Amino acid sequence: MTWLFDFWRSSIGGKVTMAITGLLLFGFVVAHLLGNLQLFAGPEAINAYARFLHERQGLLWVARLGLLAVFVLHVVTGIRLARGNRAARPVPYAKDDTVQATFASRSMVFSGLSLLVFVLYHLLHFTFGLTNPAHYARKAAGADGHDVYAMVTASFHVPAIAIAYAGFQIVLFLHLRHGIQSLAQTLGLHHGRYTPWIARASVVLALFVAGGNALLALSVLSGLVTVAP
Ligand code: HEM
């Protein structure tokens, strides 16, 4: 096990850890969005999906604990790498591209920590029901106890909540776009011919996830998705 810890502590090991955990977290946000997009299909569709997940408690807990471990590893390794970069270079280089790279990695730490705040708020909101207990109670009050449609639409009907969710998606977009480019670089895909395609793909993928989430919140706010009575 010590070799694994030594590998993680090395600079390349840290980058590989960020790439693998980042890819897994990206897989989660895509899957989560595809599930949530069922809000557009109406209450039956999204509530059946919620019931399906909750009927598989064993599997759900394995996935939750796995996700938590991956998330913690991603945050801890990211902070370690950023601190290592700063310690190794207390005086920034004057050369333009290096200054840009430092700015990009600093902004990744900033956007990453902002996302941590979002995820904590999001868990308090929809998983623990602490920020808006009345909205959370609507989930349990549904016919089968899984009225996610009523809970989510009641929440996004409140302008401050919908706008806060949509606003955080800008941060998610920036983090995913740069993260996908870093991942490609760690995998060695930074050949002159691929780089412009990777840059385009990172914009499309990040826009899909962040735009999809923002669309959900704003569609309820604007009345495109009907709020449950
Ligand atoms: C408009 C966008 C989103 C909606 C409507 C939404 C909806 C939900 C709901 C309803 C739950 C609770 C599920 C339940 O316990 O029944 C949940 C849990 C969760 N969401 Fe989201 N979500 C959104 C965006 C995001 C984003 C962008 C992230 C990550 C960056 C995220 C991460 C999580 C996590 C980690 C959980 C906890 C999973 C669990 O309890 O098993 N969500 N979300």
Side-chain angles (χ1 to χ4, degrees):
M1 278 319 258
T2 3
W3 68 267
L4 198 62
F5 185 65
D6 286 345
F7 177 66
W8 174 76
R9 288 195 51 170
S10 71
S11 174
I12 182 69
K15 284 192 176 132
V16 170
T17 305
M18 289 310 277
I20 296 171
T21 52
L23 201 61
L24 290 169
L25 291 171
F26 182 70
F28 167 75
V29 284
V30 170
H32 193 42
L33 170 66
L34 294 178
N36 289 337
L37 282 175
Q38 297 185 59
L39 201 75
F40 289 112
E44 290 80 18
I46 193 157
N47 291 347
Y49 167 67
R51 201 182 319 114
F52 174 84
L53 289 182
H54 282 262
E55 274 166 3
R56 283 151 188 82
Q57 281 294 318
L59 216 64
L60 190 66
W61 274 102
V62 170
R64 277 176 168 165
L65 293 176
L67 183 65
L68 183 67
V70 167
F71 190 71
V72 169
L73 198 55
H74 192 76
V75 174
V76 170
T77 313
I79 292 173
R80 182 177 67 77
L81 284 178
R83 290 177 83 178
N85 282 348
R86 282 180 80 177
R89 198 193 310 129
V91 181
Y93 291 136
K95 230 177 131 219
D96 251 348
D97 55 348
T98 321
V99 171
Q100 267 173 26
T102 311
F103 176 74
S105 57
R106 280 220 187 115
S107 67
M108 279 306 268
V109 175
F110 182 73
S111 59
L113 292 177
S114 310
L115 285 176
L116 182 62
V117 171
F118 167 77
V119 171
L120 291 177
Y121 162 66
H122 183 52
L123 291 179
L124 293 177
H125 182 203
F126 282 149
T127 300
F128 300 114
L130 291 175
T131 58
N132 299 83
H135 298 166
Y136 187 69
R138 299 217 47 189
K139 181 163 91 160
D144 60 358
H146 294 293
D147 202 349
V148 172
Y149 185 91
M151 173 178 75
V152 171
T153 55
S155 274
F156 290 159
H157 188 51
V158 178
I161 298 179
I163 290 165
Y165 267 78
F168 267 114
Q169 301 314 308
I170 299 171
V171 181
L172 182 62
F173 169 79
L174 294 172
H175 194 81
L176 289 181
R177 187 189 60 175
H178 183 77
I180 293 166
Q181 290 177 11
S182 295
L183 174 87
Q185 202 159 25
T186 302
L187 296 178
L189 296 172
H190 54 118
H191 185 278
R193 210 190 314 158
Y194 306 135
T195 310
W197 286 102
I198 290 167
R200 277 180 213 125
S202 69
V203 171
V204 172
L205 292 170
L207 203 60
F208 169 68
V209 174
N213 284 330
L215 188 70
L216 279 164
L218 298 178
S219 296
V220 176
L221 182 65
S222 65
L224 196 70
V225 169
T226 324
V227 176

